[in-house]
Amino acid sequence: CKLSEKDPSFWNKWAQSTLKNALQLQKLNQNTAKNLILFLGDGMGIPTVTAARILKGQLSGKSGEETQLEMDKFPFVALSKTYNTNAQVADSAGTATAYLCGVKANEGTVGVNAAATRSQCNTTQGNEVTSILRWAKEAGKSVGIVTTTRVNHATPSAAYAHCVDRDWYSDGEMPAEAIQAGCKDIARQLFENIPNIDVIMGGGRKYMFPKNQSDVEYPGDKKHFGTRKDGRNLVAEWTNRMKNKQAFYVWNRKELMSLNPNNVDYILGLFEPGDLLYNLERNPDTDPSLTEMVEVAIKILRKNPNGFYLLVEGGRIDHGHHEGKAKQALHEAVEMDRAIGLAGLLTNIHDTMTVVTADHSHVFSFGGYTSRGNTIFGLAPMFSDVDQKPFTAILYGNGPGFKVVDGLRENVSTIDYQENNYQAQAAVPLSMETHGGEDVAIFSKGPMAHLLHGVHEQNYIPHVMAYAACIGQNRDHCMSSNGASGLGPALASLTALLTLNHLFC
């Protein structure tokens, strides 16, 4: 440890300063939230948060454990119970319905309640539930979706779609009977359900174009060709519909960064045929980072005097874990934390409620009595006392990292376990690692953030955010002077009236 850490006064001063800050929280922020931002780290369980914190510190030359993530600085923290109505260990679709629509749902379904059955088209109608993004739009706010996955992937799709199968990306992925029964694919719902979503950024180009149409960026690669059987070009339809507005379609970083957000009211940015590349593999000339997308999004959305709702997904934390590639997953989490920091600089804590959470965890862990400052991707300081071989601190409960050499566990010292795509060892062999079932954290700051405290059902999140912003079903406290968040504005109006009265009497 550092010399200063050996002195008790170092720890005492730090604790006292933290205590002083904590005492300030007695004065609760009960303003009305003009803006709402939800950062969703897909698959970002608590072990992932801790490991990302250490990585963030180590990337700047520190030992890492004492580092603070941007989300660590949020004053209020709660736990979210992530189970789906039919699943103990959740998936990203049922959870998205919970934290966006306020209703728990079955795994694999988006924007429908638990009476809807996965893949059964005829259970859709009458079971649709609306999202906080729609509530915000209907209240006159600007709304945006920014993700590192396809824009019609599970997380973003619950914001606008009602679909009994998260995999119905375009009609090319739907069974014929579902199309005949009148079910719509998710890409189509993105453009048809909520008119004029102000900001849409992520991947998923191929689902917007007719089958076999070549991709603008990878013209020779068949796997990136369009997938739509209905022959529709949804991008062209969007461009045509928006031609009299300040609306722009962009497909690469250069086009995005050349825009002046002051002259943009609507943006559709589709930067890859499928998901965006991992941040470690991203080509900075062609693909924007999550932080860059968030910056443009907020600068466009905040022009609305009524404020905005923005959903930001660090979606590929989840993919890194599924592939057993902890290095990719943790770098994705650090990048999302960077975006959280930037969003904080571009907004004001007095009128912006920011929530950071995860949809579910993973069977990712790190341990092994590693010493202080041990590289997060490094070895434990001991050998196994059973098979006498070294092991990495990071391990998975299951997944593709299970390897047997000559009937025994692979010796990790014979390979490069710090390589970007190294798959950490797993206890049970699976082609894809699974989600974890434990609670995840909810970090919050800004107006009414204190309502996210304790242990909550995941579907509580949008109800709190809507209450803070006076949108959706909880608006009584905004209209009257006896409710908390309406109190400030009501008193201000009363004072103004009395002053005018005094002046004119």
Side-chain angles (χ1 to χ4, degrees):
C1 71
K2 297 191 211 76
L3 196 61
S4 57
E5 293 184 6
K6 292 181 178 176
D7 181 351
S9 69
F10 167 81
W11 298 106
N12 289 330
K13 276 182 192 156
W14 192 355
Q16 287 296 322
S17 115
T18 307
L19 179 61
K20 201 172 162 189
N21 290 338
L23 288 166
Q24 296 303 309
L25 297 177
Q26 297 298 306
K27 305 184 193 84
L28 298 177
N29 180 344
Q30 299 191 342
N31 298 340
T32 298
K34 178 181 170 185
N35 310 312
L36 299 170
I37 306 176
L38 177 64
F39 279 95
L40 193 284
D42 199 308
M44 189 180 72
I46 291 174
T48 301
V49 173
T50 310
R53 175 190 304 136
I54 293 170
L55 173 59
K56 179 185 174 180
Q58 292 182 348
L59 288 171
S60 61
K62 302 184 178 75
S63 62
E65 300 84 359
E66 70 295 330
T67 300
Q68 272 196 308
L69 290 167
E70 293 300 326
M71 62 185 99
D72 293 341
K73 299 171 188 172
F74 285 29
F76 297 97
V77 181
L79 289 178
S80 166
K81 296 163 65 178
T82 64
Y83 67 92
N84 296 144
T85 45
N86 65 342
Q88 186 177 77
V89 178
D91 97 308
S92 296
T95 49
T97 306
Y99 62 75
L100 289 171
C101 304
V103 173
K104 285 228 172 191
N106 293 326
E107 60 89 30
T109 66
V110 291
V112 287
N113 63 37
T117 307
R118 184 170 190 172
S119 306
Q120 289 186 15
C121 173
N122 66 355
T123 65
T124 312
Q125 203 168 357
N127 291 322
E128 300 91 345
V129 287
T130 58
S131 79
I132 186 168
L133 181 131
R134 182 186 278 273
W135 311 338
K137 189 73 176 168
E138 287 173 352
K141 294 184 186 296
S142 292
V143 295
I145 295 166
V146 174
T147 178
T148 50
T149 65
R150 288 153 272 188
V151 293
N152 48 352
H153 209 253
T155 298
S157 62
Y160 56 81
H162 311 288
C163 194
V164 290
D165 199 315
R166 59 174 285 180
D167 296 328
W168 292 353
Y169 297 119
S170 76
D171 61 347
E173 289 78 35
M174 291 175 70
E177 57 271 23
I179 297 171
Q180 280 150 18
C183 278
K184 288 184 189 179
D185 65 87
I186 296 170
R188 190 177 150 194
Q189 292 191 54
L190 171 62
F191 297 103
E192 294 180 4
N193 288 5
I194 301 174
N196 304 349
I197 294 174
D198 306 79
V199 170
I200 303 166
M201 281 193 259
R205 266 198 308 262
K206 66 181 177 182
Y207 305 109
M208 316 298 170
F209 292 99
K211 199 166 176 58
N212 296 328
Q213 181 170 325
S214 65
D215 183 70
V216 61
E217 193 173 358
Y218 310 98
D221 199 335
K222 283 205 162 122
K223 74 170 181 283
H224 295 320
F225 284 10
T227 62
R228 300 199 65 81
K229 287 179 181 166
D230 59 11
R232 289 174 65 175
N233 179 333
L234 299 180
V235 171
E237 290 179 21
W238 181 87
T239 308
N240 194 41
R241 193 174 83 230
M242 310 296 269
K243 64 176 181 287
N244 295 326
K245 298 180 164 72
Q246 288 189 306
F248 298 84
Y249 167 65
V250 294
W251 64 266
N252 60 56
R253 180 182 181 274
K254 191 177 168 198
E255 289 180 346
L256 176 70
M257 303 314 274
S258 68
L259 292 173
N260 178 348
N262 294 327
N263 304 328
V264 180
D265 292 331
Y266 300 93
I267 187 166
L268 172 62
L270 300 173
F271 303 106
E272 284 291 323
D275 301 320
L276 271 56
L277 299 176
Y278 285 124
N279 202 50
L280 278 177
E281 293 169 1
R282 180 173 64 86
N283 179 341
D285 294 331
T286 54
D287 292 330
S289 67
L290 182 61
T291 304
E292 288 169 337
M293 291 192 288
V294 166
E295 178 170 11
V296 175
I298 291 175
K299 285 180 175 174
I300 292 170
L301 295 171
R302 70 180 180 186
K303 295 184 298 180
N304 185 336
N306 294 322
F308 64 83
Y309 173 88
L310 175 61
L311 168 65
V312 181
E313 183 194 19
R316 302 216 65 199
I317 300 167
D318 178 71
H319 296 175
H321 283 323
H322 277 309
E323 294 176 356
K325 297 174 180 175
K327 191 164 191 176
Q328 298 287 9
L330 296 183
H331 274 271
E332 292 295 303
V334 169
E335 173 58 27
M336 189 178 88
D337 194 63
R338 199 175 289 130
I340 292 167
L342 184 79
L345 295 173
L346 293 174
T347 54
N348 188 320
I349 196 159
H350 297 296
D351 70 0
T352 303
M353 182 190 213
T354 308
V355 176
V356 180
T357 190
D359 46 357
H360 54 73
S361 186
H362 276 268
V363 293
F364 160 84
S365 67
F366 71 100
Y369 304 117
T370 43
S371 58
R372 179 75 184 273
N374 194 65
T375 166
I376 192 66
F377 304 115
L379 294 173
M382 63 226 244
F383 282 26
S384 162
D385 57 1
V386 177
D387 69 7
Q388 279 71 52
K389 288 180 182 162
F391 60 97
T392 52
I394 286 175
L395 296 167
Y396 286 94
N398 58 46
F402 178 94
K403 287 188 184 68
V404 172
V405 179
D406 300 330
L408 299 166
R409 184 171 71 90
E410 183 176 50
N411 187 337
V412 292
S413 64
T414 63
I415 50 176
D416 182 4
Y417 50 80
Q418 304 219 31
E419 191 258 322
N420 287 356
N421 289 302
Y422 169 68
Q423 292 175 307
Q425 290 185 339
V428 175
L430 287 178
S431 56
M432 291 287 273
E433 175 265 5
T434 72
H435 295 166
E438 80 272 21
D439 299 348
V440 299
I442 313 169
F443 305 87
S444 57
K445 68 174 180 178
M448 297 292 169
H450 57 281
L451 298 178
L452 287 164
H453 64 98
V455 182
H456 291 291
E457 294 289 352
Q458 192 166 39
N459 68 295
Y460 174 65
I461 296 170
H463 291 274
V464 170
M465 296 183 79
Y467 181 90
C470 292
I471 60 174
Q473 65 189 56
N474 284 113
R475 280 183 293 205
D476 295 350
H477 63 291
C478 317
M479 309 306 176
S480 66
S481 60
N482 59 0
S485 83
L487 195 57
L491 281 174
S493 317
L494 190 61
T495 310
L497 276 171
L498 290 170
T499 309
L500 282 172
N501 203 26
H502 180 72
L503 284 173
F504 291 113
C505 289

